[in-house]
Amino acid sequence: MEEPRQKAIEICSDLQQPLKVEHIQTGLAADATLSFYRQGEFLDLCRGPHVRSAKTIGTAFKLLSVAGAYWKGDSSRQQLQRLYATAFWDKKELDQHLQQLEEAKRRDHRVLGRQLGLYETDDKVGQGLILWKPKGALIRQLLQDFILEHLQRQGYAQVFTPHIGKLELYKTSGHFPYYHDSQFPPLVDRDQIERMAEEGCSCAELANRMKAGQIDGYLLKPMNCPHHIRIYASELHSYRDLPIRLAEFGTVYRWEQSGELGGMTRVRGFTQDDAHLFVTEDQLPAEIEGCLELVKIVLGTLGMSDYRVRVGLREPASEKYVGTAEQWAKAEAACRRAAATLGVPFTEEVGEAAFYGPKIDFVVRDVIGRQWQLGTVQVDYQLPQRFELTYVGPDNAHHRPIMIHRAPFGSMERFIGVLIEHFAGAFPLWLAPEQVRICTVSEKSEVYGQQVERRFREAGLRVTGDYRPEKLGAKIRDSQLAKVPYTAVVGPKDESAGSVSLRDRVDGSQQTLAINDALAQLESEIAARQVRQVAAPSTPVESATEAHEY
Amino acid sequence: MLQVTLPDGVIREFADSVTALEIAQQIGPGLAKAAVAAEVDGRVLGLDQPLPSEGGVKLSILTRKNPQSLDVMRHSCAHVMARAVMRLFDGVQLAFGPTIAGGFYYDFDLPHTLTEEDFPQIEEEMRRLSSWTNRSNVWRNRARKRSRSAATSSSP
């Protein structure tokens, strides 16, 4: 039913609904009439649309959880209680969805990360700052090495740059002030602060001057581009030098509200698999394709071939974009073609481009059907201009290169968080922090067990030994719980035969092998970077295009 | 005169103000029965919402086969949940109840602290609310209020 404003306010007041009244007066201030949802004695302010009868809803719904939430997201207002629930057309779909949620809970990277000793966050260190423990650090290093191997094959050069940069640098790039909300406050020059204190400068004055960028200092870098740009600018370049591809696992820092931090996906400090390419216009299409090719290889190796891309294009009529129409046409065509050659589903989203260029986003679907946004490949016409970058063309004149920014996996933190959930903590052999665990049947086999351990270690495997006087069954179960891919059981028979009994965590199979044969099998699985996963227990339900932003 | 263009290109004209449900009924009783909502010029509307009486619109009837209909159902379900909470607890103030990916939520301000232990009761009430017609709900509600006030002799 529709009611004019004043009547609507009266209705809500009579129902003792002050929050609704407030909303009518503020959020709905422009509306002359307001709609209500009515069911029996129940009247609720609502625009709709609604189903005709409550019977249409059916009974395939479920309450999921309750959480706190601030009225209008304002932490100075009252805390409300938020009831989360879901509903489907039939019970079967509901059950499938609930199963998926259960499975997701089992894979929560925050729980598994702690359980498996991969990483920690610590209040004393600060929220949103990840402490990579040895096992997690190992996985990260192996992934980085793998990515780097491919980068070098594709003609990238690795660079290292500092974690901070002068305020001037970020004024030129535009991060200051445009990126202001996402940045830590500046590291202010010490001498200047002391001088200001002597002058009797108040806190308010200091804050204002900092905000206006009037105080010298440094910024914790929120992005790696300016540093890489300055590396490019440190030499004169000829068109023959291009494309120049600078890569860095660059650690950046961004300010996030403390209420929004969590796990490895909402952090304040993170390391991007970053690279900046400086190319000529003719090189743009091939280079964009090269960036996507790398993603295809890495995701394919990890068994995550279920991904799609979103191409962000500009709004053709809008004035807010930098670069000529011709440049945009070429860049967008290049992005489109590159996305098409990937052979995965892709969508084009008009209006989603940044003001400085079109982009390509990666969204990967994990083994239980959830979608994760990873990173981007971004074409940029703006920064080369702001930094006045050039190269000398075949005509001996100076030309402006185009930049491509790319961090396809987003950050190591986010990517590994996703991998933890995708693998449910059971990483493939080549990535597993602990690859083989020797378990002795009894203390009698300890000496032999340690010999086997030494042989495995010398062969380059990450091996440990469980020589505790526990029952074998318990030791094997512990090994499985720790997600160790192979458990090598050794007993008296193995000692006389020079063998091990290798148990495979993935399919539960068991083989008695001579030590050399066991080593050969494991080494070949590692060298091939094989991914052998147990099939997912539930089939994906949501076909939504919404990706988790966490 | 309203000109309505259907998905198959057919154009129908209506002299009086008409709702999407009435249009569905004209197209066929099967469609009307299966209809959940309607898409009018790209916006999703309820079946009972009156359409403009002049001009032209593109209309398609949404049934369960259309993904948008699930969101409409979920949003109505959110209101049923809100109604259930209001019937079971005192001093409930309602905020917003939007749909989100995979479901919906509703925000409440009430003295009682909701926990998962309250869920079965709320779900039970929701099942009751969504399986009876509106009319009988009004009678049941009055009856329940009467029996409740009779039972609580200690209330002032």
Side-chain angles (χ1 to χ4, degrees), chain B residues 82-141:
Chain B
R83 185 181 176 197
V85 170
M86 288 200 79
R87 287 160 71 94
L88 293 171
F89 302 98
D90 292 323
V92 177
Q93 286 177 22
L94 303 175
F96 302 125
T99 52
I100 53 174
F104 56 91
Y105 68 80
Y106 214 111
D107 285 343
F108 305 95
D109 194 2
L110 72 158
H112 170 79
T113 304
L114 292 167
T115 69
E116 300 205 355
E117 273 146 20
D118 297 316
F119 288 5
Q121 199 191 16
I122 299 174
E123 283 167 0
E124 177 61 34
E125 185 67 11
M126 285 170 73
R127 271 193 288 274
R128 252 199 295 266
L129 293 171
S130 66
S131 60
W132 295 92
T133 62
N134 284 346
R135 199 179 175 77
S136 49
N137 267 331
V138 174
W139 294 120
R140 287 174 118 246
N141 195 42

Side-chain angles (χ1 to χ4, degrees), chain A residues 431-493:
Chain A
L431 279 176
E434 196 186 331
Q435 291 170 312
V436 192
R437 188 179 290 192
I438 316 281
C439 288
T440 46
V441 172
S442 73
E443 294 158 327
K444 277 187 269 188
S445 303
E446 184 166 342
V447 174
Y448 178 60
Q450 287 177 338
Q451 284 172 358
V452 175
E453 191 185 331
R454 205 176 317 126
R455 281 287 308 279
F456 277 28
R457 185 166 298 114
E458 278 161 12
L461 291 176
R462 296 187 287 272
V463 56
T464 57
D466 188 350
Y467 308 113
R468 295 174 296 160
E470 304 288 334
K471 284 218 175 86
L472 180 64
K475 296 206 278 196
I476 292 176
R477 193 172 45 246
D478 285 346
S479 182
Q480 309 274 40
L481 282 173
K483 319 270 184 179
V484 184
Y486 287 96
T487 305
V489 176
V490 296
K493 286 209 197 105

Side-chain angles (χ1 to χ4, degrees), chain B residues 1-24:
Chain B
M1 183 69 66
L2 177 70
Q3 269 203 353
V4 177
T5 310
L6 299 171
D8 54 6
V10 170
I11 299 180
R12 290 186 191 224
E13 291 188 342
F14 299 90
D16 303 315
S17 177
V18 72
T19 66
L21 178 66
E22 284 158 359
I23 297 178

Side-chain angles (χ1 to χ4, degrees), chain A residues 183-469:
Chain A
Q183 277 181 285
F184 273 79
L187 300 165
V188 177
D189 178 68
R190 217 196 290 200
D191 292 337
Q192 199 172 17
I193 279 234
E194 279 175 15
R195 251 199 320 265
M196 290 170 78
E198 272 163 37
E199 286 165 17
C201 181
S202 71
C203 276
E205 173 70 14
L206 176 65
N208 287 335
R209 284 210 224 168
M210 271 170 72
K211 202 156 181 209
Q214 287 164 357
I215 301 191
D216 286 332
Y218 294 81
L219 285 184
L220 267 179
K221 65 177 176 181
M223 291 189 185
N224 300 294
C225 350
H227 286 83
H228 288 197
I229 285 173
R230 293 303 296 165
I231 289 182
Y232 176 90
S234 67
E235 294 173 42
L236 192 60
H237 296 288
S238 133
Y239 69 97
R240 276 189 256 265
D241 300 325
L242 268 52
I244 289 177
R245 309 180 189 91
L246 304 177
E248 179 174 8
F249 290 103
T251 302
V252 299
Y253 298 89
R254 294 186 192 166
W255 180 260
E256 300 267 1
Q257 293 296 347
S258 61
E260 290 172 13
L261 296 168
M264 288 174 114
T265 47
R266 273 263 185 271
V267 292
R268 285 188 173 144
F270 55 97
T271 303
Q272 297 178 300
D273 57 320
D274 206 354
H276 296 91
L277 292 80
F278 302 85
V279 309
T280 67
E281 208 161 309
D282 295 330
Q283 295 166 337
L284 194 61
E287 289 307 310
I288 296 175
E289 276 175 42
C291 292
L292 302 194
E293 188 58 34
L294 174 76
V295 178
K296 195 172 172 180
I297 292 172
V298 177
L299 289 182
T301 305
L302 291 165
M304 296 183 102
S305 328
D306 191 0
Y307 66 96
R308 60 185 176 89
V309 292
R310 300 194 292 225
V311 181
L313 306 169
R314 70 165 175 166
E315 186 80 51
S318 170
E319 286 295 309
K320 71 167 185 175
Y321 298 96
V322 146
T324 67
E326 209 194 316
Q327 286 173 322
W328 271 89
K330 283 202 185 141
E332 288 185 342
C335 285
R336 272 202 195 92
R337 207 173 63 228
T341 58
L342 258 186
V344 297
F346 77 94
T347 54
E348 290 181 15
E349 315 204 344
V350 175
E352 284 302 302
F355 74 90
Y356 45 83
K359 66 177 176 132
I360 299 171
D361 284 331
F362 292 90
V363 178
V364 75
R365 206 206 305 259
D366 69 16
V367 76
I368 61 168
R370 290 172 305 172
Q371 303 196 44
W372 301 88
Q373 187 177 322
L374 294 180
T376 30
V377 175
Q378 172 101 63
V379 179
D380 180 2
Y381 291 100
Q382 168 81 324
L383 282 183
Q385 221 164 288
R386 291 181 81 114
F387 280 93
E388 294 173 332
L389 302 179
T390 62
Y391 66 90
V392 179
D395 55 358
N396 263 325
H398 282 271
H399 297 267
R400 189 83 71 215
I402 305 171
M403 270 181 80
I404 302 175
H405 305 248
R406 117 267 172 285
F409 304 105
S411 69
M412 298 314 294
E413 283 75 5
R414 165 165 265 247
F415 190 42
I416 288 177
V418 172
L419 288 181
I420 293 174
E421 301 215 1
H422 177 68
F423 290 123
F427 284 86
L429 187 62
W430 73 278
L431 279 176
E434 196 186 331
Q435 291 170 312
V436 192
R437 188 179 290 192
I438 316 281
C439 288
T440 46
V441 172
S442 73
E443 294 158 327
K444 277 187 269 188
S445 303
E446 184 166 342
V447 174
Y448 178 60
Q450 287 177 338
Q451 284 172 358
V452 175
E453 191 185 331
R454 205 176 317 126
R455 281 287 308 279
F456 277 28
R457 185 166 298 114
E458 278 161 12
L461 291 176
R462 296 187 287 272
V463 56
T464 57
D466 188 350
Y467 308 113
R468 295 174 296 160

